[in-house]
Short mmCIF file of all heavy atoms in Angstrom, two decimals:
data_model
loop_
_atom_site.label_atom_id
_atom_site.label_comp_id
_atom_site.label_asym_id
_atom_site.label_seq_id
_atom_site.Cartn_x
_atom_site.Cartn_y
_atom_site.Cartn_z
N SER A 1 100.10 106.00 103.24
CA SER A 1 99.27 104.97 102.69
C SER A 1 99.11 103.83 103.82
O SER A 1 98.00 103.24 103.99
CB SER A 1 99.81 104.45 101.34
OG SER A 1 99.90 105.50 100.43
N LEU A 2 100.17 103.47 104.34
CA LEU A 2 100.27 102.39 105.36
C LEU A 2 99.29 102.70 106.59
O LEU A 2 98.60 101.85 107.09
CB LEU A 2 101.66 102.07 105.78
CG LEU A 2 102.51 101.43 104.71
CD1 LEU A 2 103.86 101.07 105.24
CD2 LEU A 2 101.95 100.16 104.05
N ALA A 3 99.36 104.04 107.03
CA ALA A 3 98.61 104.36 108.07
C ALA A 3 97.12 104.23 107.68
O ALA A 3 96.18 104.08 108.67
CB ALA A 3 98.87 105.73 108.51
N ALA A 4 96.76 104.33 106.49
CA ALA A 4 95.38 104.08 106.07
C ALA A 4 95.11 102.71 105.78
O ALA A 4 93.91 102.34 105.41
CB ALA A 4 95.09 104.97 105.01
N GLY A 5 96.07 101.88 105.83
CA GLY A 5 95.84 100.41 105.53
C GLY A 5 95.82 100.17 104.06
O GLY A 5 95.21 99.08 103.66
N VAL A 6 96.40 100.83 103.16
CA VAL A 6 96.41 100.68 101.78
C VAL A 6 97.70 100.12 101.37
O VAL A 6 98.71 100.83 101.58
CB VAL A 6 96.00 102.06 101.04
CG1 VAL A 6 95.91 101.89 99.51
CG2 VAL A 6 94.71 102.65 101.67
N PRO A 7 97.67 99.16 100.65
CA PRO A 7 98.98 98.55 100.21
C PRO A 7 99.59 99.37 99.10
O PRO A 7 98.92 100.25 98.45
CB PRO A 7 98.68 97.17 99.62
CG PRO A 7 97.20 97.24 99.32
CD PRO A 7 96.57 98.25 100.16
N VAL A 8 100.86 99.14 98.84
CA VAL A 8 101.69 100.15 97.95
C VAL A 8 102.52 99.35 96.95
O VAL A 8 103.08 98.27 97.26
CB VAL A 8 102.63 101.08 98.82
CG1 VAL A 8 103.44 101.97 97.97
CG2 VAL A 8 101.82 101.77 99.84
N VAL A 9 102.61 99.93 95.74
CA VAL A 9 103.55 99.59 94.63
C VAL A 9 104.59 100.70 94.63
O VAL A 9 104.17 101.81 94.38
CB VAL A 9 103.03 99.29 93.43
CG1 VAL A 9 104.17 98.96 92.37
CG2 VAL A 9 102.21 97.90 93.41
N ILE A 10 105.90 100.44 94.92
CA ILE A 10 106.87 101.53 94.92
C ILE A 10 107.91 101.29 93.75
O ILE A 10 108.40 100.26 93.49
CB ILE A 10 107.66 101.40 96.20
CG1 ILE A 10 106.82 101.66 97.49
CG2 ILE A 10 108.90 102.59 96.22
CD1 ILE A 10 107.49 101.67 98.67
N VAL A 11 108.05 102.56 93.04
CA VAL A 11 109.08 102.66 91.96
C VAL A 11 110.11 103.73 92.41
O VAL A 11 109.94 104.85 92.15
CB VAL A 11 108.32 103.11 90.63
CG1 VAL A 11 109.41 103.02 89.47
CG2 VAL A 11 107.15 102.21 90.37
N PRO A 12 111.08 103.29 93.17
CA PRO A 12 111.99 104.23 93.80
C PRO A 12 112.86 104.88 92.81
O PRO A 12 113.37 104.25 91.75
CB PRO A 12 112.85 103.31 94.72
CG PRO A 12 112.87 101.98 94.20
CD PRO A 12 111.47 101.85 93.51
N LEU A 13 113.06 106.20 92.88
CA LEU A 13 113.81 107.01 92.03
C LEU A 13 115.10 107.66 92.64
O LEU A 13 116.07 107.83 91.96
CB LEU A 13 112.87 108.13 91.38
CG LEU A 13 111.74 107.68 90.66
CD1 LEU A 13 110.83 108.92 90.23
CD2 LEU A 13 112.05 106.80 89.42
N PHE A 14 115.04 108.18 93.85
CA PHE A 14 116.17 108.82 94.52
C PHE A 14 115.96 108.81 96.00
O PHE A 14 114.93 108.40 96.57
CB PHE A 14 116.39 110.25 93.90
CG PHE A 14 115.11 110.98 93.81
CD1 PHE A 14 114.96 111.83 94.89
CD2 PHE A 14 114.27 111.10 92.83
CE1 PHE A 14 113.61 112.69 95.05
CE2 PHE A 14 113.12 111.98 92.74
CZ PHE A 14 112.87 112.67 93.86
N ALA A 15 116.92 109.49 96.70
CA ALA A 15 116.86 109.71 98.05
C ALA A 15 116.72 108.46 98.91
O ALA A 15 117.29 107.40 98.60
CB ALA A 15 115.89 110.79 98.57
N ASP A 16 115.87 108.37 100.01
CA ASP A 16 115.59 107.24 100.71
C ASP A 16 114.61 106.31 100.24
O ASP A 16 114.28 105.37 100.89
CB ASP A 16 115.26 107.72 102.13
CG ASP A 16 113.91 108.44 102.22
OD1 ASP A 16 113.39 108.85 101.06
OD2 ASP A 16 113.36 108.64 103.33
N GLN A 17 114.23 106.48 98.98
CA GLN A 17 113.09 105.67 98.52
C GLN A 17 113.36 104.23 98.37
O GLN A 17 112.45 103.37 98.61
CB GLN A 17 112.58 106.36 97.13
CG GLN A 17 112.10 107.74 97.37
CD GLN A 17 112.16 108.53 95.99
OE1 GLN A 17 112.35 108.06 94.95
NE2 GLN A 17 111.81 109.96 96.17
N LEU A 18 114.62 103.90 97.98
CA LEU A 18 114.90 102.48 97.88
C LEU A 18 114.83 101.76 99.16
O LEU A 18 114.38 100.67 99.42
CB LEU A 18 116.22 102.25 97.18
CG LEU A 18 116.75 100.83 96.90
CD1 LEU A 18 115.68 100.04 96.10
CD2 LEU A 18 118.13 100.72 96.26
N ALA A 19 115.34 102.40 100.30
CA ALA A 19 115.29 101.87 101.66
C ALA A 19 113.99 101.66 102.08
O ALA A 19 113.58 100.66 102.58
CB ALA A 19 116.10 102.78 102.55
N ASN A 20 113.04 102.67 101.79
CA ASN A 20 111.61 102.44 102.22
C ASN A 20 111.03 101.37 101.44
O ASN A 20 110.25 100.60 102.10
CB ASN A 20 110.79 103.79 101.84
CG ASN A 20 111.22 104.95 102.69
OD1 ASN A 20 111.79 104.81 103.74
ND2 ASN A 20 111.07 106.18 102.19
N ALA A 21 111.31 101.23 100.14
CA ALA A 21 110.82 100.07 99.32
C ALA A 21 111.17 98.72 99.92
O ALA A 21 110.41 97.89 99.96
CB ALA A 21 111.30 100.33 97.97
N LEU A 22 112.52 98.50 100.21
CA LEU A 22 113.01 97.31 100.77
C LEU A 22 112.26 97.02 102.02
O LEU A 22 111.90 95.84 102.42
CB LEU A 22 114.46 97.33 100.90
CG LEU A 22 115.32 97.46 99.70
CD1 LEU A 22 116.84 97.76 100.02
CD2 LEU A 22 115.15 96.15 98.78
N ARG A 23 112.15 98.02 102.97
CA ARG A 23 111.56 97.70 104.25
C ARG A 23 110.00 97.38 104.11
O ARG A 23 109.44 96.46 104.71
CB ARG A 23 111.58 98.91 105.11
CG ARG A 23 111.47 98.74 106.64
CD ARG A 23 112.61 97.81 107.20
NE ARG A 23 113.86 98.47 107.12
CZ ARG A 23 114.39 99.28 107.97
NH1 ARG A 23 113.77 99.72 108.99
NH2 ARG A 23 115.65 99.78 107.84
N LEU A 24 109.42 97.96 103.22
CA LEU A 24 107.89 97.74 102.99
C LEU A 24 107.73 96.29 102.36
O LEU A 24 106.81 95.60 102.78
CB LEU A 24 107.37 98.80 102.20
CG LEU A 24 105.84 98.71 101.81
CD1 LEU A 24 105.07 99.96 102.27
CD2 LEU A 24 105.67 98.42 100.42
N THR A 25 108.61 95.85 101.40
CA THR A 25 108.34 94.67 100.91
C THR A 25 108.72 93.46 101.86
O THR A 25 107.99 92.39 101.83
CB THR A 25 109.18 94.49 99.49
OG1 THR A 25 110.55 94.74 99.94
CG2 THR A 25 108.79 95.45 98.43
N GLU A 26 109.73 93.74 102.75
CA GLU A 26 109.98 92.78 103.68
C GLU A 26 108.78 92.60 104.65
O GLU A 26 108.54 91.46 105.18
CB GLU A 26 111.22 93.27 104.63
CG GLU A 26 112.53 93.19 103.80
CD GLU A 26 113.63 93.81 104.60
OE1 GLU A 26 113.34 94.37 105.60
OE2 GLU A 26 114.74 93.83 104.09
N ALA A 27 108.04 93.61 104.89
CA ALA A 27 106.75 93.58 105.82
C ALA A 27 105.60 92.98 105.17
O ALA A 27 104.61 92.61 105.62
CB ALA A 27 106.55 95.00 106.34
N GLY A 28 105.70 92.77 103.79
CA GLY A 28 104.58 92.11 102.96
C GLY A 28 103.39 93.11 102.61
O GLY A 28 102.41 92.65 102.33
N ALA A 29 103.66 94.45 102.74
CA ALA A 29 102.56 95.36 102.59
C ALA A 29 102.58 96.07 101.17
O ALA A 29 101.85 96.92 100.85
CB ALA A 29 102.66 96.57 103.64
N GLY A 30 103.40 95.31 100.24
CA GLY A 30 103.48 95.87 98.89
C GLY A 30 104.64 95.27 98.14
O GLY A 30 105.29 94.38 98.72
N LEU A 31 104.74 95.77 96.97
CA LEU A 31 105.99 95.35 96.08
C LEU A 31 106.68 96.63 95.55
O LEU A 31 106.31 97.64 95.57
CB LEU A 31 105.39 94.57 94.90
CG LEU A 31 104.77 93.05 95.10
CD1 LEU A 31 104.27 92.56 93.87
CD2 LEU A 31 105.84 92.36 95.80
N ALA A 32 107.96 96.24 95.31
CA ALA A 32 108.84 97.40 94.78
C ALA A 32 109.49 96.99 93.55
O ALA A 32 109.74 95.82 93.26
CB ALA A 32 109.97 97.70 95.87
N LEU A 33 109.73 97.96 92.68
CA LEU A 33 110.33 97.85 91.43
C LEU A 33 111.52 98.73 91.36
O LEU A 33 111.43 99.99 91.34
CB LEU A 33 109.37 98.21 90.20
CG LEU A 33 109.97 98.25 88.85
CD1 LEU A 33 110.10 96.79 88.27
CD2 LEU A 33 109.26 99.10 87.90
N ASP A 34 112.79 98.15 91.19
CA ASP A 34 113.91 99.00 91.20
C ASP A 34 114.39 98.94 89.80
O ASP A 34 114.85 97.94 89.14
CB ASP A 34 115.06 98.33 92.08
CG ASP A 34 116.24 99.23 92.20
OD1 ASP A 34 116.19 100.31 91.60
OD2 ASP A 34 117.24 98.73 92.74
N PRO A 35 114.47 100.09 89.11
CA PRO A 35 114.96 100.27 87.79
C PRO A 35 116.38 99.74 87.58
O PRO A 35 116.88 99.31 86.58
CB PRO A 35 114.96 101.78 87.42
CG PRO A 35 113.92 102.36 88.34
CD PRO A 35 113.99 101.52 89.65
N GLY A 36 117.22 99.56 88.73
CA GLY A 36 118.52 99.11 88.64
C GLY A 36 119.53 100.17 88.28
O GLY A 36 119.42 101.47 88.37
N ILE A 37 120.90 99.63 88.01
CA ILE A 37 121.97 100.57 87.76
C ILE A 37 122.67 100.40 86.40
O ILE A 37 122.40 99.36 85.78
CB ILE A 37 123.09 100.38 88.84
CG1 ILE A 37 123.48 98.98 88.82
CG2 ILE A 37 122.54 100.76 90.26
CD1 ILE A 37 124.71 98.83 89.83
N GLU A 38 123.31 101.33 85.95
CA GLU A 38 124.10 101.31 84.74
C GLU A 38 125.62 101.20 85.03
O GLU A 38 125.85 100.87 86.35
CB GLU A 38 123.90 102.49 83.91
CG GLU A 38 122.36 102.65 83.38
CD GLU A 38 122.07 103.72 82.55
OE1 GLU A 38 122.65 104.99 82.96
OE2 GLU A 38 121.39 103.84 81.68
N GLY A 39 126.48 101.39 84.26
CA GLY A 39 127.85 101.44 84.47
C GLY A 39 128.34 102.41 85.59
O GLY A 39 127.66 103.40 85.78
N ASP A 40 129.39 102.11 86.23
CA ASP A 40 129.97 103.05 87.28
C ASP A 40 128.98 103.22 88.35
O ASP A 40 129.01 104.37 89.05
CB ASP A 40 130.31 104.42 86.66
CG ASP A 40 131.40 104.23 85.51
OD1 ASP A 40 132.31 103.32 85.67
OD2 ASP A 40 131.24 104.98 84.48
N ASP A 41 128.04 102.19 88.70
CA ASP A 41 127.17 102.35 89.69
C ASP A 41 126.30 103.57 89.65
O ASP A 41 125.69 104.02 90.70
CB ASP A 41 127.95 102.44 91.13
CG ASP A 41 127.00 101.97 92.32
OD1 ASP A 41 126.19 101.23 92.10
OD2 ASP A 41 127.27 102.53 93.43
N ARG A 42 125.91 103.91 88.52
CA ARG A 42 125.01 105.13 88.33
C ARG A 42 123.56 104.57 88.25
O ARG A 42 123.37 103.41 87.67
CB ARG A 42 125.39 105.91 86.98
CG ARG A 42 126.64 106.64 87.05
CD ARG A 42 126.95 107.14 85.68
NE ARG A 42 126.06 108.13 85.28
CZ ARG A 42 126.10 109.46 85.48
NH1 ARG A 42 127.03 109.89 86.31
NH2 ARG A 42 125.21 110.39 85.06
N ARG A 43 122.65 105.31 88.83
CA ARG A 43 121.30 104.77 88.83
C ARG A 43 120.66 104.95 87.36
O ARG A 43 121.01 105.85 86.75
CB ARG A 43 120.41 105.73 89.84
CG ARG A 43 120.89 105.64 91.20
CD ARG A 43 120.48 104.44 91.90
NE ARG A 43 119.06 104.36 91.94
CZ ARG A 43 118.52 103.13 92.28
NH1 ARG A 43 119.24 102.05 92.51
NH2 ARG A 43 117.20 102.96 92.28
N ARG A 44 119.89 103.91 87.03
CA ARG A 44 119.30 103.93 85.61
C ARG A 44 117.87 104.66 85.76
O ARG A 44 117.02 104.20 86.56
CB ARG A 44 119.05 102.62 85.09
CG ARG A 44 118.33 102.46 83.76
CD ARG A 44 118.31 101.19 83.19
NE ARG A 44 117.33 100.35 83.90
CZ ARG A 44 116.06 100.46 83.64
NH1 ARG A 44 115.50 101.23 82.81
NH2 ARG A 44 115.24 99.56 84.33
N PRO A 45 117.69 105.66 85.03
CA PRO A 45 116.38 106.36 85.09
C PRO A 45 115.33 105.51 84.65
O PRO A 45 115.42 104.63 83.93
CB PRO A 45 116.59 107.66 84.15
CG PRO A 45 117.98 107.75 83.98
CD PRO A 45 118.64 106.37 84.11
N LEU A 46 114.10 105.71 85.09
CA LEU A 46 112.91 104.99 84.83
C LEU A 46 112.57 105.28 83.27
O LEU A 46 112.75 106.39 82.77
CB LEU A 46 111.79 105.44 85.62
CG LEU A 46 110.43 104.64 85.61
CD1 LEU A 46 110.63 103.21 86.22
CD2 LEU A 46 109.28 105.34 86.32
N SER A 47 112.31 104.21 82.56
CA SER A 47 112.04 104.36 81.16
C SER A 47 110.87 103.49 80.72
O SER A 47 110.27 102.71 81.58
CB SER A 47 113.32 103.84 80.39
OG SER A 47 113.46 102.48 80.49
N ARG A 48 110.37 103.74 79.51
CA ARG A 48 109.23 103.09 79.07
C ARG A 48 109.21 101.59 78.99
O ARG A 48 108.30 100.87 79.19
CB ARG A 48 108.80 103.58 77.62
CG ARG A 48 107.37 103.63 77.24
CD ARG A 48 106.75 104.75 77.91
NE ARG A 48 107.42 106.03 77.65
CZ ARG A 48 107.13 106.77 76.56
NH1 ARG A 48 106.10 106.58 75.81
NH2 ARG A 48 107.63 108.03 76.59
#
């Protein structure tokens, strides 16, 4: 998307996606939404 010059909204779910989201928002080319974590540092699944 960036190579095509199109801005992005990122909803990271797993793997390196959160790192990509942070780097992209720092560059000002989009926004990221992190669902966050639950107890014991477990990732919270995306929900309605």
Side-chain angles (χ1 to χ4, degrees):
S1 301
L2 294 181
V6 180
V8 181
V9 169
I10 297 181
V11 186
L13 300 178
F14 51 87
D16 62 345
Q17 295 159 10
L18 183 58
N20 293 336
L22 292 173
R23 199 67 62 83
L24 180 124
T25 54
E26 290 171 357
L31 289 178
L33 172 81
D34 184 7
I37 59 174
E38 297 176 320
D40 301 324
D41 198 30
R42 293 172 63 88
R43 303 284 300 164
R44 181 176 70 80
L46 192 66
S47 67
R48 213 71 56 91

